Amino acid sequence: MWREQICAMPLWHHGPGHYDCVFVSTDDTLEGMPSMEIAHVLCFFSFVFTNGQTYPCALVHWFDHLAKELNDLMGMWMVTPSFLDNCSKNLAVIHIDSIVCGAHLLPLFGVEVIPEYVPFHNSLDLYCGFYINHFVDHHTFELVS
């Protein structure tokens, strides 16, 4: 069995927070990337419903697909952070069983030189678009393909 750790921590080794991105299963009738969405995990929590059942959940910020197909140049899917009409983040509470695995996103850098003051920990807030890196490992390549 393959296992990985998904993080949503406000402090990571006495430094900035560590908040992972994940693949979320949204359509079991499809296969590959069309069956999933990308989300940025902001926190994990659970609650007990009135029937005594505990529900483990995650608060996520959704990403929208920029196209329904792979990017021709890079061979990767492209996403952008999702925002509502009032410019607030498109957030949702999901059951953790819908999380498939972690996702590695690469910013769409463009042609500009990246300033030295841009820290790694908030790149998801600084860039408008991302490639989904399915070459990061064998499991992700098989999952997305």
Side-chain angles (χ1 to χ4, degrees):
M1 169 164 253
W2 177 53
R3 211 175 130 171
E4 69 179 292
Q5 198 169 37
I6 307 296
C7 293
M9 305 172 73
L11 289 174
W12 180 253
H13 294 284
H14 305 291
H18 180 151
Y19 300 95
D20 287 334
C21 289
V22 293
F23 291 96
V24 179
S25 177
T26 55
D27 189 346
D28 292 336
T29 63
L30 300 172
E31 291 186 11
M33 195 61 214
S35 71
M36 296 177 286
E37 299 293 331
I38 299 294
H40 184 205
V41 179
L42 302 177
C43 75
F44 290 103
F45 65 96
S46 63
F47 65 91
V48 179
F49 197 61
T50 55
N51 62 0
Q53 179 75 31
T54 299
Y55 292 94
C57 299
L59 175 65
V60 299
H61 177 200
W62 291 113
F63 281 75
D64 292 327
H65 290 272
L66 289 176
K68 294 186 187 265
E69 301 176 345
L70 294 169
N71 174 275
D72 290 336
L73 180 63
M74 297 296 288
M76 296 182 185
W77 294 91
M78 296 170 57
V79 293
T80 185
S82 180
F83 291 92
L84 302 174
D85 292 337
N86 64 0
C87 298
S88 64
K89 291 181 177 183
N90 184 4
L91 302 177
V93 173
I94 62 171
H95 195 283
I96 63 168
D97 287 347
S98 64
I99 296 174
V100 178
C101 66
H104 183 243
L105 302 183
L106 300 170
L108 298 173
F109 291 110
V111 295
E112 304 86 27
V113 175
I114 302 169
E116 289 183 27
Y117 63 84
V118 174
F120 67 91
H121 66 273
N122 67 347
S123 62
L124 292 173
D125 297 324
L126 295 177
Y127 293 96
C128 298
F130 300 88
Y131 290 112
I132 300 170
N133 183 7
H134 63 278
F135 301 112
V136 69
D137 62 32
H138 171 74
H139 298 288
T140 305
F141 185 81
E142 291 293 319
L143 178 71
V144 173
S145 299

